[in-house]
């Protein structure tokens, strides 16, 4: 595993997420873009690990922030532009049973910092701001968050668990 990159869990960060959910805050989390599987605690790969100088490194548990009561969102990709294909999981997106839902996250036009590593352009109404075409689970998660916000407008008393179950139940496999 020399040089192998994987996500890690930070218990204090995960505890903060759990406290937010316990307080009734709805949480959507980007699954990550490390090409890896996120398993569930009862899954056969959940306890897979290797040992390095820092101890046991579990590599199928997902990274922080994480909570199984939050909505964990993967990136759906429409494939190659101009070639009609069904939507599919973007290759870089985390996958597996620990990902609750996938949403469009590839080729998303978004705002960006004026100093960043992405190729960007000027925001047409105001050139003091920048925009860029970006992809990943960080672009997919806000899509699900927005759907959740719309649902909560008509059902403001839904708990995080109820909203998560509703969105997953309404999604098309």
């Amino acid at each position: 595993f020399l040089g192998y990159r994987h996500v890690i869990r930070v218990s204090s960060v995960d505890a903060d997420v759990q406290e937010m959910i316990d307080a009734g805050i709805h949480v959507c989390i980007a699954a990550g873009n490390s090409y890896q599987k996120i398993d569930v605690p009862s899954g056969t790969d959940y306890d897979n690990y290797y040992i390095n100088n820092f101890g046991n490194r579990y590599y199928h548990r997902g990274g922080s922030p994480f909570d199984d009561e939050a909505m964990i969102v993967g990136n759906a990709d429409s494939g190659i532009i101009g070639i009609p294909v069904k939507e599919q999981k973007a290759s870089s997106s985390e996958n597996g049973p620990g990902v609750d839902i996938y949403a469009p996250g590839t080729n998303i036009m978004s705002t960006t910092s004026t100093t960043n590593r992405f190729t960007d352009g000027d925001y047409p109404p105001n050139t003091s701001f920048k925009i860029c075409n970006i992809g990943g689970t960080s672009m997919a998660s806000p899509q699900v968050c927005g759907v959740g916000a719309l649902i909560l407008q008509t059902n403001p008393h839904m708990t995080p668990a109820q909203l998560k179950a509703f969105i997953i139940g309404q999604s098309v496999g």
Side-chain angles (χ1 to χ4, degrees):
F1 288 102
L2 182 62
Y4 185 71
R5 180 183 177 267
H6 67 275
V7 296
I8 61 169
R9 297 279 286 273
V10 179
S11 59
S12 62
V13 171
D14 294 349
D16 289 342
V17 173
Q18 182 62 59
E19 286 178 13
M20 290 190 304
I21 292 169
D22 291 345
I25 298 171
H26 299 268
V27 179
C28 287
I29 297 174
N33 305 302
S34 298
Y35 304 82
Q36 297 176 18
K37 175 182 181 180
I38 300 176
D39 207 349
V40 293
S42 60
T44 57
D45 291 325
Y46 186 77
D47 287 326
N48 290 353
Y49 70 94
Y50 66 92
I51 301 170
N52 69 7
N53 294 337
F54 303 104
N56 294 352
R57 292 299 191 195
Y58 294 89
Y59 51 89
H60 285 308
R61 293 187 176 183
S64 291
F66 187 86
D67 192 287
D68 60 357
E69 294 180 60
M71 183 80 65
I72 308 298
V73 184
N75 178 12
D77 185 353
S78 59
I80 300 169
I81 295 173
I83 298 175
V85 295
K86 290 185 174 184
E87 289 182 345
Q88 59 196 10
K89 179 192 79 65
S91 62
S92 63
S93 179
E94 306 304 59
N95 60 79
V99 177
D100 296 310
I101 193 167
Y102 291 85
T106 301
N107 292 320
I108 304 295
M109 189 58 70
S110 180
T111 58
T112 188
S113 161
T114 56
T115 59
N116 64 73
R117 64 183 176 94
F118 303 106
T119 303
D120 56 16
D122 292 332
Y123 178 62
N126 185 336
T127 58
S128 297
F129 300 99
K130 300 292 182 183
I131 56 174
C132 69
N133 185 312
I134 190 170
T137 60
S138 291
M139 295 291 102
S141 185
Q143 309 283 354
V144 175
C145 184
V147 168
L150 292 171
I151 294 166
L152 288 171
Q153 282 184 322
T154 57
N155 301 288
H157 300 293
M158 286 182 105
T159 66
Q162 290 169 331
L163 180 63
K164 178 179 177 176
F166 182 80
I167 290 174
I168 291 172
Q170 295 298 311
S171 66
V172 178

